Amino acid sequence: MPVLTAPEISGLRAGEDVNMLTKNDWLEERRCALQAALDAQKTKAERNRLGQFATPTQLAREMLAYGLSLLPRGEAVRFFDPAIGTGSFYSALRAACQDRTIAWARGFEVDAHYGQPALDLWRGTPLKIMLGDFTRQTPPAAEAERANLLICNPPYVRHHHLSGEEKRRLQEAAHRAAHVEISGLAGLYCYFMALSHDWVSGGGVAGWLIPSEFMDANYGKALKAYLLREVTLLRIHRFDPNDVQFDDALVSSAVVWFKKQKPAANHEVTFSYGGTIQKPALIKNVSVQDLERTEKWTRFPKQDAEAIHGGCRLGDLFAIKRGLATGDNSFFILDEKRARSLSIPPQFLRPILPSARYIKSDEIMADAQGVPLLDKRLFLLDCDLPEDEVQRHHPALWAYLQTGLERAAQRSLCRLRRRWYAQERRAAAPILCTYIGRSDHDGMPFRFLLNHSAAIATNVYLMLYPLPPLAEQLRRNPDLLRILWQQLKATARETLLGHGRVYGGGMHKLEPKELANIPADALAAVAGLNEK
């Protein structure tokens, strides 16, 4: 694709004097317009699948300014970007590198849709763009051919878009390059970081704009071990999740800086949060020893290092399980009016809770049949009878099941069942916790619900079932359940956030194991279960 003419691509008004702008600013305007034009030629689904989310100009310039400040004064820049796109970071380098020499600048771009126009855009500059898959390239052997400044926004390709064969190839290559064992659940950006190890010279600096979820997720353990043991981790800046950095990707972002050298024993890492890289809202130094023993790094800089907790955790008191996955909520979950109109026999309908936005109070009361006293009363269709019995004895239910054969019965979960319409056996949980929610700055994203009803819940909830020792205490003293619920509601916001994970737009999640890991000494004491 040829580079468009200046009036076409820069958006300048007819007759506007280009000389009013600096050459770098004018080229950046051209690049931004080119980026927008190329993005418009792809569907959002295509760009999501390939993880193509361009770095905003201001953020790119902040990263380059900070990266240059980490290099020795007067050292010529050898710049490398393994996922260069249209060259946002190279453009930022030109703007920030006023008093430094650029020895050379190189980058790879796998998608010719972006790479070829970028080649044309930057022709005549020191930038050399190579069209090809960076993960299949051989790193340079000579130190002088390795970068002393690597800046990259790697493709945000989730693991389910990578084939098993591709994952195995990447895992083997990552192990050879950086001695890191990357999980099959890791996104492509983790492999990019590992494979870039041999493209950076000794003492060189790398800055990565990546999703912050690696700081909390299990698949991030290998990446964190690499950052603590193979290189010197300098700083991690995490943006406020409510301040999404990409208009077209709902992801919480972090910038990770490190130097290619082994860390000193007493090394400390700078963690910053919110605001900008240059002017963060919070900043704190954390020792590598504290990072080694802290499972979730997003607790920094707001909280102290996670104390080694030898006492009781919530999972010692409750079995915590995700709610039901029905296979097709629109088919299996019916409101009261629709269930009645279909004449579904009541023995095949179990009360089920609606999403939390329909539950105004954190205490769920019930009628004499155990149905929640809510405005939105829902029921789960659940039948374990053989098809011939349903057809013979329950014609109304049979008629409704026939309407689900083309869609619901073909869903992957339903196909795995002995009977596609039979649900997992679950008892109602006395306490539930919402699995996902937003924290608009100081808000609490999670709710603990006291459930007096016979309603079960879908997988947007975590269900807390008392384990035998606690169940025995509750049998003796039923009022204890309310006290435990109130204790859970009083759990510090930062404790819950520190054990969960965060995504763009201030979206937080708690997995069952994460909720189970929350310290619960106070609850154990209230229940008379101080000994584990």
Side-chain angles (χ1 to χ4, degrees), residues 319-340:
I320 301 175
K321 299 182 179 181
R322 183 80 61 78
L324 284 170
T326 69
D328 186 343
N329 286 356
S330 64
F331 180 81
F332 290 110
I333 297 179
L334 311 170
D335 63 32
E336 198 167 26
K337 182 178 179 181
R338 185 156 186 247
R340 190 180 297 118

Side-chain angles (χ1 to χ4, degrees), residues 156 158 189 211-217 219 251-252 501-503:
Y156 183 51
R158 290 190 171 275
Y189 71 92
S212 65
E213 62 188 42
F214 87 92
M215 300 168 74
D216 293 343
Y219 75 75
V251 59
S252 176
R501 57 192 69 187
V502 62
Y503 299 87

Side-chain angles (χ1 to χ4, degrees), residues 449-520:
L449 307 178
L450 182 61
N451 183 24
H452 298 287
S453 77
I456 53 175
T458 64
N459 53 9
V460 297
Y461 293 96
L462 303 181
M463 305 171 76
L464 282 69
Y465 296 97
L467 290 171
L470 178 57
E472 176 59 23
Q473 296 293 82
L474 290 170
R475 186 188 64 78
R476 296 175 183 173
N477 179 13
D479 293 337
L480 176 60
L481 183 64
R482 177 177 295 277
I483 298 171
L484 294 174
W485 168 61
Q486 290 169 338
Q487 288 270 356
L488 284 169
K489 283 170 62 70
T491 303
R493 174 181 183 274
E494 294 304 327
T495 298
L496 291 170
L497 298 188
H499 282 80
R501 57 192 69 187
V502 62
Y503 299 87
M507 185 70 74
H508 293 261
K509 289 183 181 179
L510 264 178
E511 298 291 347
K513 288 183 179 179
E514 293 167 342
L515 182 58
N517 204 36
I518 288 176

Side-chain angles (χ1 to χ4, degrees), residues 94-163:
R94 290 168 59 93
C97 208
Q98 301 301 323
D99 57 348
R100 284 183 185 265
T101 301
I102 301 177
W104 51 257
R106 297 166 188 165
F108 282 96
E109 177 51 46
V110 68
D111 189 349
H113 177 77
Y114 292 97
Q116 187 59 55
L119 272 169
D120 296 335
L121 176 67
W122 297 111
R123 185 169 284 117
T125 73
L127 177 62
K128 179 181 179 182
I129 296 178
M130 294 153 281
L131 299 181
D133 182 351
F134 163 70
T135 70
R136 295 180 180 275
Q137 308 303 316
T138 301
E143 279 286 287
E145 293 301 306
R146 295 181 177 181
N148 62 357
L149 182 63
L150 180 152
I151 308 289
C152 185
N153 170 12
Y156 183 51
V157 178
R158 290 190 171 275
H159 74 91
H160 51 263
H161 290 311
L162 302 172
S163 68

